[in-house]
Amino acid sequence: MGCSTSTPSASVPAEPTPTASPWTLVWSDEFDGETLNTRNWLFDKGAGGWGNNEWQYYTDRPENVRIENGVLIIEARNEEYLAWKYTSARIKTHYLQSWTYGRIEARIKLPVGGKGIWPAFWMLGENIATARWPTCGEIDIMENIGNPTTVYGTVHGPGYAGSNAISKAFVSPVDLSADFHIYAVEWEADEIRWYVDDQRYHTVRRDQVPGEWVFDHPFFIILNLAVGGNWPGYPDETTIFPQQLQVDYIRVYQAGS
């Protein structure tokens, strides 16, 4: 009786089917122009504390806000300007771009930090002029108060604003000012989730807030770098200037079909 010398051919595994993303890109700013795109951004200018007893004067000067090599730079400086000792910048998409629900993300390199340094990537309800704060709602996608290993995700609304806001810290194993990282929220009708580099660290649901859920209408984006304030405290002799908040891009996705 003969025996076969051939061996069965091995089956080739099928290529896995990619998982469809639930999100479709609907808007972005890649900061690839020479100057800030005024179809997307307005400047908030001036001083007066901005409701938090901050110390900076916000300007639209290139010293404080500019694009370099495809990166938006917001720079806080220690300098005399119109009787104020610090300058910085704050930009917003108010009246130009706003969204209801979606994934809102930015690739950001934090300032090196120090006492009194307060960068933020956040959102306010488009109806702020009529509803006022906090009834308009506020979603803080990323805030940092001087320690570049810790960021915060927060919501403010009626009955849970200011020191009573619903907030959680993300503590990073690495210095977030050493490189760019992605900060995002995924905002749905009944839930908001916060991420750093796609690591989820905070969730707030409609049935958890001790007041009205005010996150069901259009919101606009704000980027700013504050100096001082009630929450971070104030610069001292150890605080280094200038400080830079660097943003590679901002992207907004919404649920795809």
Side-chain angles (χ1 to χ4, degrees):
M1 189 172 172
C3 60
S4 172
T5 57
S6 63
T7 56
S9 60
S11 60
V12 177
E15 288 290 327
T17 303
T19 302
S21 170
W23 305 110
T24 299
L25 183 67
V26 296
W27 179 88
S28 71
D29 198 324
E30 307 293 323
F31 302 113
D32 52 6
E34 294 184 0
T35 58
L36 199 65
N37 186 341
T38 55
R39 293 189 301 273
N40 290 335
W41 301 100
L42 296 174
F43 292 94
D44 274 329
K45 293 188 286 186
W50 295 92
N52 301 297
N53 293 314
E54 299 162 26
W55 280 2
Q56 78 288 327
Y57 193 106
Y58 284 134
T59 86
D60 60 357
R61 305 177 306 155
E63 291 92 337
N64 296 118
V65 56
R66 59 189 180 273
I67 293 173
E68 292 182 359
N69 301 316
V71 173
L72 170 70
I73 296 174
I74 295 179
E75 184 170 305
R77 300 164 64 93
N78 183 358
E79 61 180 348
E80 293 287 340
Y81 188 83
L82 299 179
W84 293 78
K85 293 183 178 180
Y86 300 92
T87 62
S88 190
R90 169 167 152 158
I91 61 173
K92 62 185 181 181
T93 68
H94 198 196
Y95 305 121
L96 300 172
Q97 311 284 349
S98 63
W99 306 269
T100 305
Y101 311 138
R103 177 181 167 94
I104 298 92
E105 69 176 34
R107 187 169 182 262
I108 292 173
K109 184 176 181 181
L110 291 185
V112 295
K115 196 164 184 234
I117 303 302
W118 186 7
F121 167 43
W122 52 300
M123 304 181 77
L124 284 172
E126 185 77 13
N127 62 342
I128 186 170
T130 54
R132 313 301 297 172
W133 187 89
T135 304
C136 66
E138 177 177 330
I139 303 170
D140 299 322
I141 304 171
M142 183 285 298
E143 288 185 285
N144 169 255
I145 50 171
N147 178 353
T149 63
T150 304
V151 295
Y152 300 85
T154 307
V155 289
H156 301 257
Y160 49 102
S163 61
N164 295 317
I166 302 173
S167 185
K168 189 169 184 179
F170 173 86
V171 180
S172 171
V174 299
D175 182 342
L176 298 170
S177 71
D179 205 349
F180 288 87
H181 297 270
I182 297 175
Y183 304 91
V185 292
E186 292 180 356
W187 165 31
E188 298 179 340
D190 297 312
E191 183 176 279
I192 304 171
R193 302 177 295 275
W194 283 257
Y195 299 83
V196 176
D197 292 331
D198 287 329
Q199 180 178 341
R200 177 171 166 178
Y201 73 95
H202 186 29
T203 303
V204 175
R205 294 186 294 274
R206 180 187 290 264
D207 59 6
Q208 292 178 316
V209 301
E212 182 184 358
W213 179 262
V214 288
F215 308 103
D216 50 8
H217 59 270
F219 276 60
F220 63 94
I221 292 171
I222 305 170
L223 281 166
N224 70 288
L225 177 52
V227 179
N230 299 331
W231 187 27
Y234 296 91
D236 61 19
E237 66 279 357
T238 68
T239 308
I240 299 167
F241 287 92
Q243 297 261 353
Q244 291 185 353
L245 174 65
Q246 299 185 35
V247 186
D248 183 26
Y249 62 73
I250 298 179
R251 296 173 183 166
V252 177
Y253 301 81
Q254 291 187 321
S257 56

